Amino acid sequence: MSVMTARAARGATPRDGTPDLLRRSLRVDGVGTAVFGAVMLAGGRWLADPLGLPGDWFAPIGIGMLGGAAALGLIAGYPRVPAGLARAAIAANALSGAVMLPLAVTGALPLTGLGVAFMLAGAAWVLTFAGLTFAGLRQSGSHA
């Protein structure tokens, strides 16, 4: 068992005081958010019809996602992740999921089957990372 695996198994905290789960969840969420933002910016013209999303939504959402990805990267880069910023990331992900789920299933948008799957995948992503970041924050003891 490697040192990293042993530390992860114990829920250990690196020397900087931030649990691995908290920092890693923020970093992976940031990378995924950046990829999603880039896809929205670059592919909006081609994705609008197959997904059933309004074409003029892609650029603002893509720019917002890239901004969110940058924020997640900055938060994860602190020597010790501030609890308030981690909570803000959790809240942003939970809110995003709370918006995407109803949009995917209520018919409020003229989504295609692929569009529904795209929205559900996005909701699953943000809700998963809200949970992982929350678990990492609890692990850090800074959740109060």
Side-chain angles (χ1 to χ4, degrees):
M1 182 182 282
S2 73
V3 173
M4 197 63 149
T5 306
R7 278 188 27 213
R10 293 191 316 264
T13 301
R15 287 187 199 122
D16 68 4
T18 299
D20 288 342
L21 178 59
L22 178 56
R23 189 175 309 283
R24 284 190 181 148
S25 66
L26 290 165
R27 284 183 178 153
V28 173
D29 188 15
V31 170
T33 301
V35 169
F36 180 74
V39 166
M40 295 296 282
L41 275 174
R45 186 174 13 179
W46 298 285
L47 291 173
D49 287 337
L51 297 178
L53 286 168
D56 56 351
W57 285 22
F58 284 86
I61 291 172
I63 291 167
M65 293 295 95
L66 291 176
L72 288 165
L74 289 171
I75 294 167
Y78 274 93
R80 183 172 178 95
V81 174
L85 294 178
R87 283 192 294 272
I90 293 164
N93 274 336
L95 179 62
S96 295
V99 169
M100 284 191 270
L101 278 175
L103 286 176
V105 299
T106 62
L109 294 173
L111 298 174
T112 63
L114 185 59
V116 170
F118 184 76
M119 292 289 272
L120 290 174
W125 178 273
V126 295
L127 293 172
T128 296
F129 280 96
L132 288 171
T133 304
F134 180 75
L137 185 61
R138 286 187 53 99
Q139 189 181 74
S140 75
S142 300
H143 60 281

